[in-house]
Amino acid sequence: MSHPQDIILQPIVSEKSYGRMSEKIYQFKVAKSANKHQIKEAVEALFKVRVTAVRTLNVRPKAKRRGVFKGFTPAWKKAVVCLHKDDSIAFFEGIA
C-alpha cells in the first residue's frame, strides 16, 4: 500500500461530517490494513495539507433485513483527521 489512493478510499459525506468541517475535522473511509501514520501521509500527499491528529475506528457490521432475506452490512474502517488551523480541503467545500 504505497499509493495514497490505496489508503484513502472515499470521503464520508453526512450531516455530522459537514458540521465538523468548520472545526477542521474531516472523515474518510480507509483501507482496513492502514495505520495512522499511513493515513496521515496519504491525506497530506493527496490534499497538500498539514495533519495534526488522526483517529481511527472500525465500523462493525450491522444486521439488516429486507423481507425474508437476512444479512449484514460490510465492516469498514473510518479515519477522523484533524488539520492545522490554517489548512482546509477545498474538495469538501465544493471548490474543486
Side-chain angles (χ1 to χ4, degrees):
M1 264 203 255
S2 59
H3 297 292
Q5 293 89 353
D6 296 336
I7 296 170
I8 306 294
L9 302 179
Q10 67 186 47
I12 297 174
V13 180
S14 66
E15 286 186 39
K16 188 173 184 178
S17 67
Y18 269 113
R20 300 183 81 186
M21 285 181 201
S22 61
E23 305 165 18
K24 307 294 183 189
I25 298 173
Y26 297 86
Q27 298 178 10
F28 298 96
K29 183 175 182 178
V30 297
K32 290 184 94 171
S33 60
N35 61 35
K36 292 182 181 187
H37 299 291
Q38 292 172 330
I39 294 168
K40 178 181 178 179
E41 291 171 1
V43 170
E44 288 176 344
L46 283 174
F47 300 108
K48 309 292 188 272
V49 293
R50 294 171 286 180
V51 175
T52 57
V54 176
R55 293 182 301 240
T56 61
L57 62 125
N58 289 311
V59 179
R60 295 165 57 187
K62 296 177 185 156
K64 293 288 183 181
R65 252 185 78 185
R66 186 79 174 163
V68 296
F69 302 104
K70 297 178 184 177
F72 287 90
T73 60
W76 52 285
K77 190 170 190 174
K78 179 194 289 190
V80 180
V81 178
C82 301
L83 300 184
H84 189 268
K85 62 179 180 165
D86 298 331
D87 293 340
S88 66
I89 298 176
F91 174 78
F92 286 98
E93 271 96 52
I95 308 166

